[in-house]
Amino acid sequence: MLKVRQALLTAVQRLGDRVDAEVLLAYALSKSRSWLIAHADDLLSAEHASAYTVLVEQREAGEPVAYITGRRGFWSLDLEVTPDTLIPRPETELLVEEALERIPISKTVNVADLGTGTGAIALAIARDRPLAQVIATDASADALAVARRNASRHDILNVSFVQGDWFAPLGDQRFDVIVSNPPYIENHDPHLNQGDLRFEPMSALASGEDGLDDIRRIIRDAGRHLLPEGWLLFEHGWNQGEAVRMLLCNASFAKVSTMRDLEQRERMTMGCWSVSKDCGSS
Ligand code: GLN
């Protein structure tokens, strides 16, 4: 019989990643990662040991940990994740932070999240701004089912979900804040054939020759769905900042600015649907 410590050591050697090895063992045992440390000398049952081996093999074959466990933490939420949804990334929390700065805590504000996937961004905003009314769209019915389950698991009631492409299911509604983490990778980017991206829905990742097809559509239609002084905020690739600032300025957005992520890469850009259409960009 193997001890927890030995099983972990073997998995770390196979996977080359201690966190992955711990997350998968914790999942196999239905325990927390801190439990593993406190019980390093416990013996694993044969069933647990063989269940763990299967998980380690799945990971060795490249499957993302979040799809194996079906969970991923984002903001303050533990979210269900399936292969129908993009896996929420920590850098997308920057988009949530910037959106929250533009949503007063004591006012009812209408927010739209386009292409919500797991619901990560919509649910983080709805949780932290209980007075906000959030509508989240997604073209995929399967993704929306996951997002709805995430909302009900966390008892978040001020969010609703509608199916359709970008603004299509929103009729002529207007919003104070529109957020999106759209697909933005170039169709031929070799990264699409590497790592976790191989397992994620292509429709949530790639967007035309220059990766900007969906961002162009969102910017084109956003003006028809923003209230005066409303904000559009979206994530993009590290090398797309200049192009998206230009797109926003050309579409008459004001106060256009880009934020960098913790690795100092341009990660998200926002603009204000201003009545006085001066484009001060930075
Ligand atoms: N941030 C993801 C990546 O580059 C892509 C997500 C997206 O296209 N929205 O791995």
Side-chain angles (χ1 to χ4, degrees):
M1 291 241 277
L2 270 185
K3 284 183 176 180
V4 163
R5 178 196 310 285
Q6 293 160 326
L8 270 178
L9 196 63
T10 312
V12 172
Q13 279 161 358
R14 283 176 71 171
L15 300 178
D17 189 305
R18 170 160 292 275
V19 175
D20 284 1
E22 288 183 8
V23 169
L24 292 176
L25 184 54
Y27 174 70
L29 303 179
S30 305
K31 302 285 187 200
S32 66
R33 277 171 66 202
S34 51
W35 185 95
L36 299 179
I37 318 253
H39 294 81
D41 290 316
D42 282 19
L43 290 172
L44 289 183
S45 70
E47 290 77 22
H48 280 149
S50 67
Y52 187 41
T53 303
V54 171
L55 300 179
V56 171
E57 282 167 1
Q58 281 177 271
R59 180 64 190 135
E60 252 181 337
E63 200 167 331
V65 173
Y67 288 157
I68 299 174
T69 64
R71 331 250 6 127
R72 173 54 50 100
F74 180 82
W75 202 246
S76 60
L77 303 163
D78 173 44
L79 296 174
E80 176 187 342
V81 175
T82 78
D84 294 310
T85 65
L86 191 78
I87 301 166
R89 311 282 204 270
E91 58 266 27
T92 304
E93 294 181 347
L94 180 60
L95 185 58
V96 174
E97 278 172 32
E98 290 298 323
L100 288 176
E101 282 199 15
R102 287 159 181 80
I103 305 174
I105 206 152
S106 56
K107 232 176 105 182
T108 298
V109 163
N110 290 303
V111 180
D113 172 27
L114 309 179
T116 195
T118 58
I121 300 168
L123 293 169
I125 291 174
R127 152 71 64 91
D128 279 29
R129 291 290 182 274
L131 292 184
Q133 286 298 330
V134 184
I135 299 188
T137 74
D138 205 287
S140 157
D142 294 325
L144 281 182
V146 175
R148 285 196 179 99
R149 285 198 293 275
N150 279 323
S152 61
R153 178 191 326 274
H154 291 285
D155 287 323
I156 299 175
L157 301 175
N158 54 330
V159 55
S160 56
F161 298 96
V162 281
Q163 192 188 347
D165 251 3
W166 308 124
F167 292 103
L170 297 176
D172 55 6
Q173 287 181 80
R174 289 186 181 262
F175 299 89
D176 300 281
V177 173
I178 297 172
V179 291
S180 184
N181 176 17
Y184 52 70
I185 299 176
E186 297 167 19
N187 276 351
H188 300 293
D189 189 324
H191 291 105
L192 291 169
N193 302 315
Q194 294 166 21
D196 286 6
L197 299 189
R198 288 170 297 167
F199 293 81
E200 295 184 280
M202 191 59 81
S203 61
L205 293 169
S207 188
E209 286 302 311
D210 63 356
L212 291 171
D213 279 6
D214 289 287
I215 287 178
R216 268 189 290 268
R217 282 186 58 188
I218 290 170
I219 292 176
R220 185 194 67 196
D221 295 339
R224 283 200 292 280
H225 292 278
L226 280 169
L227 291 160
E229 308 299 322
W231 284 89
L232 171 65
L233 306 93
F234 58 89
E235 186 173 309
H236 53 74
W238 61 273
N239 54 355
Q240 293 172 332
E242 201 178 325
V244 302
R245 285 191 295 276
M246 188 87 83
L247 287 169
L248 282 167
C249 290
N250 289 343
S252 300
F253 278 83
K255 300 179 193 165
V256 173
S257 69
T258 296
M259 303 295 292
R260 291 173 186 267
D261 62 20
L262 290 175
E263 292 176 50
Q264 293 309 313
R265 291 173 305 200
E266 291 194 327
R267 177 53 59 195
M268 57 142 304
T269 293
M270 57 207 143
C272 180
W273 190 243
S274 180
V275 212
S276 60
K277 300 269 162 58
D278 59 321
C279 186
S281 88
S282 57

